[in-house]
Amino acid sequence: MGHTATARAGSGGLTATEHRLANGLRVVLSEDHLTPVAAVCLWYDVGSRHEVKGRTGLAHLFEHLMFQGSASVPGNGHFELVQGAGGSLNGTTSFERTNYFETMPTHQLELALWLEADRMGSLLAALDDESMENQRDVVKNERRQRYDNVPYGTAFERLTALAYPEGHPYHHTPIGSMADLDAASLEDARTFFRTYYAPNNAVLSVVGDIDPEQTLAWIEKYFGTIPSHDGKQPPRDGSLPDVIGEQLREEIVEEVPARALMAAYRLPHDGTRECDAADVALTILGGGESSLLHNRLVRRDQTAVAAGFGMLRLAGAPSLGWLDVKTSSGVEIPAIEAAVDEELARFAAEGPTAEEMERAQAQLEREWLDRLSTVAGRADELCRYAVLFGDPQLALTAVQRVLDITAEEVQAVAAARLRPDNRAVLVYEPLAADGTGGEEGEEGEENADSDENEGAEQ
């Protein structure tokens, strides 16, 4: 089944066609003959929100296992074949999905499709205790390097646990705990694969210099015989009240280069107009060196060396607005917090200026167009909207929806959500020379990447 590739209003002339195989695999194709490359992106509708207590980290562990060989491609062969053909590849895991992607020279597209189909259809034949133990150790080491042994490394995990209550499907992050990684068995992994790595639980997008008819023929040839699986349970309900109702707070004394104030505000679900308005609000407040918080804390007051506000968009639970401020030497957290609250209260009361709206929307438009301008970025967005919202075409009009947001909507969401009683807060205090909390030493920058949407997490 397919749809005619007619450009929708607000799509900038970009088009996509949709198809579905008999086994349930959804396919999205988008032609782009600007350069002789093609991107293959495969999203499975499984992430850490599908995990249960005691078995966290399985989605991320399995992302690694998918690169450990299949029936026809042993060991590290997937990497070797793609890179040997001049392509690039990776995979990531998030709260809401696991994805795999390759960008290939056009004449190597068939290879990428065969490789993805081979591991979807035959990975269980190669999954054994040796590969399980190997990748368990890799993931545990990744946790040490990116979370446990770097300054501020566990901030994302701590804030998530504060913002989402115990038992909530988003309470734990995709990296998983050391204890749960140790407890995962080979049979756990096999059951996980059978349940979630089925064609009827996936969306495949191919974008670039392609012949749609030939591409569909290859997809049917390699994916069409893989059986569907109906054992998947829907994720647990992630809904919560719009406002937390109190300020949740945790203070951490660790070996960090500077005091820090971090906070997560509960925001509207992704896919809503209110979420787009919140994105504009956070861009005005903390999106770069022209933002209100940077101008106030870094330039004017000089109480911080860095101040930013970002957004984690989530479809199955409230999104989060992430505040991150690193203090200047000697500055204490109450001064920073008072200034932040003053700026947020003023913004909620007065709303954004026309200039601030124009600048923020132009910044968000550029970021969206940057993603859609590359074949890999467009393939990823088409999969995202297909998996999370049921319609890949929404990816092509997302830019216009952000530009349609009004100043009144931005002010309304700021007043409703960016409040002290709607946030989880982390306060970092550096260790003193004697090992107790105290004044920090020389200023420094953090060396932690707590973005669960990048690298091997999501």
Side-chain angles (χ1 to χ4, degrees):
M1 180 180 68
H3 300 284
T4 303
T6 302
R8 292 189 178 186
S11 68
L14 300 176
T15 63
T17 60
E18 302 169 53
H19 315 266
R20 190 183 293 270
L21 303 190
N23 59 10
L25 178 67
R26 296 182 66 186
V27 178
V28 185
L29 305 180
S30 180
E31 288 185 77
D32 183 345
H33 301 290
L34 188 62
T35 55
V37 296
V40 174
C41 186
L42 188 59
W43 272 46
Y44 291 93
D45 186 10
V46 58
S48 59
R49 67 171 173 166
H50 295 85
E51 298 165 350
V52 296
K53 188 174 182 179
R55 288 297 180 269
T56 66
L58 263 179
H60 178 221
L61 175 62
F62 216 94
E63 174 218 315
H64 284 259
L65 290 171
M66 284 284 277
F67 290 99
Q68 277 294 286
S70 55
S72 304
V73 185
N76 203 40
H78 195 111
F79 275 102
E80 293 169 356
L81 286 168
V82 171
Q83 292 172 342
S88 60
L89 73 162
N90 211 334
T92 69
T93 309
S94 77
F95 292 100
E96 301 183 324
R97 61 96 183 99
T98 308
N99 68 344
Y100 304 89
F101 45 92
E102 296 88 7
T103 300
M104 304 287 279
T106 299
H107 68 283
Q108 297 287 2
L109 172 59
E110 184 181 7
L111 171 63
L113 293 171
W114 174 74
L115 284 168
E116 286 295 356
D118 185 63
R119 60 181 174 181
M120 178 191 282
S122 70
L123 185 121
L124 277 186
L127 183 59
D128 56 19
D129 285 315
E130 182 180 358
S131 59
M132 182 78 173
E133 290 308 311
N134 177 282
Q135 290 310 299
R136 191 200 313 268
D137 289 343
V138 168
V139 173
K140 288 168 67 176
N141 193 48
E142 180 183 332
R143 180 183 170 90
R144 295 185 191 100
Q145 291 180 336
R146 297 186 63 198
Y147 287 74
D148 298 334
N149 297 334
V150 293
Y152 317 108
T154 59
F156 180 78
E157 190 173 47
R158 291 173 184 271
L159 272 178
T160 299
L162 279 177
Y164 300 112
E166 181 74 37
H168 190 273
Y170 293 68
H171 178 73
H172 69 277
T173 57
I175 191 68
S177 72
M178 285 291 196
D180 286 358
L181 288 169
D182 282 333
S185 68
L186 179 61
E187 188 51 42
D188 288 332
R190 286 174 171 163
T191 301
F192 192 88
F193 181 86
R194 293 188 193 101
T195 302
Y196 296 108
Y197 279 73
N200 55 316
N201 195 47
V203 173
L204 171 67
S205 67
V206 185
V207 176
D209 185 26
I210 64 173
D211 176 336
E213 186 176 343
Q214 177 63 78
T215 302
L216 276 176
W218 284 331
I219 292 170
E220 182 65 56
K221 176 181 178 181
Y222 298 123
F223 288 89
T225 58
I226 302 172
S228 60
H229 188 280
D230 297 324
K232 176 187 173 183
Q233 296 296 313
R236 290 170 291 144
D237 182 18
S239 60
L240 290 169
D242 288 349
V243 175
I244 296 173
E246 62 178 318
Q247 180 174 242
L248 307 173
R249 199 176 187 91
E250 182 178 345
E251 182 172 312
I252 304 144
V253 179
E254 284 186 354
E255 191 173 339
V256 292
R259 290 191 177 103
L261 173 69
M262 301 183 189
Y265 292 78
R266 188 177 291 176
L267 297 177
H269 290 238
D270 194 12
T272 63
R273 193 172 175 93
E274 294 78 13
C275 185
D276 289 337
D279 206 353
V280 176
L282 297 191
T283 302
I284 295 170
L285 287 163
E289 295 186 0
S290 64
S291 66
L292 297 178
L293 289 176
H294 184 91
N295 281 329
R296 169 69 186 270
L297 297 171
V298 179
R299 289 184 177 173
R300 196 192 88 180
D301 296 354
Q302 298 184 6
T303 53
V305 295
F309 226 146
M311 188 172 188
L312 175 62
R313 286 176 173 261
L314 295 169
S319 302
L320 294 179
W322 292 91
L323 174 71
D324 188 349
V325 182
K326 303 299 190 307
T327 69
S328 299
S329 181
V331 176
E332 298 192 357
I333 293 299
I336 294 291
E337 198 162 9
V340 168
D341 286 343
E342 183 181 312
E343 287 298 314
L344 296 185
R346 183 196 62 75
F347 188 76
E350 300 175 5
T353 66
E355 181 183 356
E356 289 166 347
M357 284 292 295
E358 182 180 6
R359 185 168 58 243
Q361 286 175 310
Q363 182 175 330
L364 291 170
E365 181 183 26
R366 187 197 69 242
E367 292 170 0
W368 266 107
L369 294 178
D370 283 347
R371 285 198 287 274
L372 295 181
S373 67
T374 67
V375 293
R378 196 182 320 157
D380 191 59
E381 291 298 334
L382 289 169
C383 278
R384 181 167 85 92
Y385 279 93
V387 169
L388 299 180
F389 307 109
D391 184 2
Q393 305 290 344
L394 291 172
L396 306 181
T397 56
V399 174
Q400 190 57 50
R401 290 194 295 278
V402 171
L403 297 180
D404 287 342
I405 296 298
T406 67
E408 291 74 20
E409 290 174 297
V410 171
Q411 182 179 3
V413 77
R417 301 301 189 102
L418 301 181
R419 302 163 20 183
D421 67 343
N422 188 37
R423 67 186 178 200
V425 176
L426 288 186
V427 173
Y428 277 89
E429 287 285 344
L431 283 170
D434 61 359
T436 63
E439 293 287 338
E440 72 268 28
E442 296 180 1
E443 294 176 21
E445 294 296 326
E446 75 273 22
N447 185 29
D449 176 8
S450 60
D451 183 355
E452 289 292 310
N453 291 298
E454 298 298 332
E457 277 73 61
Q458 130 86 2

